[in-house]
Amino acid sequence: MLLVLVMIELKNIHKSYTIGSNSLHVLKGINFKVAEGEMVAIMGSSGSGKSTLLNILGILDDADEGEYKLDGKIIKNLNEKIAARYRNKFLGFVFQSFNLITYKNALDNVALPLYYQGVKRNIRMEKAMHYLDKVGLADWAAHLPNELSGGEKQRVAIARALAGNPKVLLADEPTGNLDSTTSYEVMELIQDINDDGKTILVVTHENDIAHMCKRIVNLKDGIITDDSPVNQVRAKMIDYV
């Protein structure tokens, strides 16, 4: 029998925020699992709780109640130093706004996670170049972010997210600032990375992007209203030219 490794497990996750004299209950008992190698979309309108959920998954915030396991390890009440170490070891982040360091070239941006992992400079530069090549941008290694298009910036961001060899890739609206053609090119790259076995969660409000994943989790008012596998649409099969 094939053993499936559970990469992410959330049990009864609750989260509230205090706003003035009021308490806003954002997540109201979230339960779901993500197996190693899955590609899952998390969908929901503004205020649904998806950003809060992503912050908890990304070890950027703690749940008030419930249990979060990442690769079998319980994530709770970590001090910032340990939380940063766990993020660097387990997670790769891709953001809507790219979050590249403007004064560093593409190669240095990609090498950043390896710097924080204590990898020697010559080795981290070699690895960074490998990942830039993987996303098709080896020739742009010396270029600053302002010399790159939106799609190229996102490819650099994906290479950076992969450089530390994380267990999970968290992509927060990765196509939100891109036109349709570039969005599908980026999703094709993300699908290829998933084909290599990487576990990926994509937060999106775009239905077509969600269907490029293999499963869609819908959030509404802090609860999961639907969690279903879908027939994945392959980005490279779409005639978007």
Side-chain angles (χ1 to χ4, degrees):
M1 192 172 80
L2 186 65
L3 183 67
V4 177
L5 177 66
V6 176
M7 186 58 67
I8 289 171
E9 184 172 8
L10 299 179
K11 290 182 181 177
N12 195 36
I13 294 291
H14 286 259
K15 182 68 181 180
S16 297
Y17 294 102
T18 301
I19 300 173
S21 59
N22 299 315
S23 179
L24 182 64
H25 197 178
V26 181
L27 298 179
K28 305 168 183 174
I30 299 292
N31 295 282
F32 80 104
K33 296 179 182 179
V34 179
E36 183 179 34
E38 278 200 273
M39 184 172 176
V40 181
I42 298 175
M43 290 196 76
S45 59
S46 179
S48 63
K50 64 182 189 296
S51 295
T52 300
L53 178 59
L54 191 72
N55 284 341
I56 290 170
L57 290 170
I59 322 180
L60 297 166
D61 203 353
D62 267 331
D64 297 330
E65 183 183 328
E67 183 179 85
Y68 172 26
K69 281 186 181 178
L70 176 60
D71 196 25
K73 293 175 175 58
I74 294 176
I75 307 296
K76 191 170 181 67
N77 297 330
L78 306 178
N79 67 44
E80 183 47 41
K81 188 174 181 180
I82 294 173
R85 191 166 77 231
Y86 274 32
R87 282 193 296 270
N88 204 248
K89 179 180 179 182
F90 291 110
L91 302 169
F93 294 89
V94 179
F95 302 95
Q96 177 178 347
S97 54
F98 320 125
N99 285 20
L100 299 178
I101 297 175
T102 56
Y103 57 86
K104 288 186 177 292
N105 64 29
L107 187 65
D108 284 334
N109 267 284
V110 174
L112 205 58
L114 299 167
Y115 170 81
Y116 288 119
Q117 287 179 3
V119 177
K120 290 182 180 178
R121 179 175 171 79
N122 61 327
I123 297 172
R124 70 174 183 261
M125 289 305 168
E126 185 179 319
K127 285 188 174 184
M129 184 57 83
H130 165 77
Y131 284 104
L132 264 185
D133 186 49
K134 193 175 178 72
V135 302
L137 286 179
D139 290 344
W140 295 88
H143 288 251
L144 294 171
N146 65 7
E147 298 172 316
L148 303 173
S149 69
E152 288 163 348
K153 288 177 188 175
Q154 197 58 293
R155 285 174 177 269
V156 172
I158 291 168
R160 179 185 59 190
L162 293 173
N165 194 27
K167 298 276 189 178
V168 178
L169 197 65
L170 297 175
D172 185 11
E173 299 280 3
T175 61
N177 281 338
L178 306 174
D179 60 51
S180 293
T181 299
T182 311
S183 294
Y184 294 165
E185 289 171 351
V186 166
M187 286 307 296
E188 182 180 345
L189 174 59
I190 290 174
Q191 286 178 335
D192 289 344
I193 293 163
N194 177 244
D195 291 343
D196 288 340
K198 190 71 69 183
T199 308
I200 301 176
L201 273 71
V202 178
V203 172
T204 182
H205 67 277
E206 298 172 276
N207 198 49
D208 58 338
I209 298 299
H211 279 83
M212 293 178 193
C213 299
K214 297 173 180 174
R215 174 181 158 202
I216 299 177
V217 175
N218 277 291
L219 279 180
K220 185 176 181 180
D221 297 329
I223 62 171
I224 293 175
T225 57
D226 187 63
D227 181 352
S228 304
V230 293
N231 292 322
Q232 185 184 38
V233 176
R234 298 298 298 195
K236 67 182 174 186
M237 302 300 289
I238 298 173
D239 184 12
Y240 49 78
V241 178

